[in-house]
Amino acid sequence: MVVNIWEIVGFSAILGAVFVLGRAFYNVFFHPLSKIPGPKLCAATDFIVAYHFLSGRYPFYIKSLHDKYGTVVRIGPNQLSFSSASSWQDIYGHSYRRKQFLKSNFYAYHPRHLGNERDPQKHSEMKRKLSHGFSVKALSEQEDIVQNYLDRFIRQINVYAAGPKGDEMVKWYNFFTFDLIGDLAFGESFGSLNDAKPHFWVSLLLGNIKALAWRSVSRWFPVFDKLGVWTAPKRVMKMRTEHMEYSRKKIVQRMNMKTTRRDLLSGQFGPNGPGMAIPELSGQASLFITAGSETTATFLSGTTYHLLKNPRIYNLLVEEIRSAYNTYEEITGTKASQLKYLSAVMDEGFRLYPPFAVGLYRESPGETVDGIFIPKGVELSTSPWSACRSPENFHNPDEFKPERWLDPDCTDKKHASQPFSLGSRVCIGRNLALKEIRLVLSKMLWVYDMELVNKDLDLDRDSTTYFLWIKPEIWVRFTRRQGVQVPILDSE
Ligand code: HEM
């Protein structure tokens, strides 16, 4: 009997189809997660969740599933999403009586750094080496650097955004956070505030985020994973390579710098340093640049939008800030941390527009979450967006209402909002970020009155997110208060 090539192809295709359908059938009806609610298509294949991940509207999709199916949803054959407040502690918290949920292979990309190291021992060793750059003492020593960039930012607003058109603020927040973290991580600013234009690394950075999204999603499909970079657009992969090369170049420059000042990497160099090699150090610095700039800029953008859309809250905050200080120079990190309404505005800003809205994936060790046993190897997360916007956790969840954080009788489940995560993988830059934010809001509202220009903007509608948000333009017009001067810079 002669078998032609088309018969072989046809037979293979039928076998392939039977396998895929058989597997989907097993996933839906016989898989250990088959009793967990969720769309049947999601239970059958990872394609649905991958599609939504790459669409940039993933958190919105996951929330729509929680609205329909409840606090636990099966979003993929082997993936679960939670929206309850208690799931944060169960998944990310630390308890000697429970097995630990480690970062899933979602984080298995290179180069290795503090953020993606999955081995708990290696992670804590890395953290130990890096932690003194983030200590309370280091943070207070870094305040001068923060204030210096902030003063430059406040001054540039007067030049660029105080006219009738105003200016686009997402861009300016990025200039500030990026210049600052560049200085703290590499000992050198990127010069964006001075030049009033983005350093080429800002666009590399956003390209890099998309590349990570493509690579991470491809891991749900072992066949595609073997194809590696081919699953991501070439342009995006090129940006990623450039991003890594640039980090390396900058780290070498920083190593050769003769300086005694305290920044995030001081203590790493010289004979007494912990001995991290250049590739590891550039991986860490590249993480600091990404994690430490976009996140803070996102928070500032989101909170600016919500403040300017809510004049009552804006006015209360302005009143608190302007009565707390006598002069611009009095605005320090310590004083700003004592402002109660400002803290409530920040908590609410983090809740309504969490810089990390996508679930932080972990792998079950064979442990319970919300009392449900999750078999070993299942990938799961608390969806920050869903938890923060759930009516089960917050009353009027879509409303910007800082008072909920001040009212002792409010029964909202506040621990459903965990913008910095918790447990052993809590954000190492949390205190730095909070200090930056308090100072920016205090100084900006001390000097200027602010008004939203593009009033038809809808932040939720117009935002997309991969790991970090890609935000719409937020145009703001600034008016300098009578009698209040903008700061004079050292260089002037
Ligand atoms: C508003 C600002 C910020 C937010 C909301 C934020 C949020 C987070 C979150 C949720 C994580 C956990 C990620 C995960 O589990 O995969 C994280 C980790 C991390 N963040 Fe931040 N972050 C902010 C600012 C910063 C800053 C200023 C730095 C400074 C360099 C920083 C450095 C890091 C690092 C190195 C990690 C990894 C920590 C580890 O795994 O041990 N972050 N951040």
Side-chain angles (χ1 to χ4, degrees), residues 353-374:
Y353 202 60
F356 278 100
V358 172
L360 307 165
Y361 282 102
R362 299 295 188 261
E363 197 172 294
S364 173
E367 191 40 278
T368 56
V369 176
D370 285 354
I372 305 167
F373 179 77
I374 314 294

Side-chain angles (χ1 to χ4, degrees), residues 52-112:
H52 286 284
F53 199 95
L54 295 175
S55 76
R57 299 285 294 173
Y58 183 71
F60 299 88
Y61 172 67
I62 297 295
K63 177 172 182 298
S64 73
L65 297 184
H66 281 294
D67 289 346
K68 185 163 176 193
Y69 295 99
T71 54
V72 51
V73 181
R74 189 179 181 197
I75 57 171
N78 198 40
Q79 291 186 58
L80 298 179
S81 173
F82 287 80
S83 65
S84 60
S86 49
S87 65
W88 278 109
Q89 187 59 38
D90 282 357
I91 300 173
Y92 304 93
H94 193 64
S95 158
Y96 291 105
R97 276 168 297 161
R98 287 170 56 83
K99 293 183 205 150
Q100 213 182 333
F101 289 73
L102 301 182
K103 287 198 167 183
S104 76
N105 77 345
F106 200 77
Y107 290 85
Y109 55 84
H110 283 278
R112 305 308 294 157

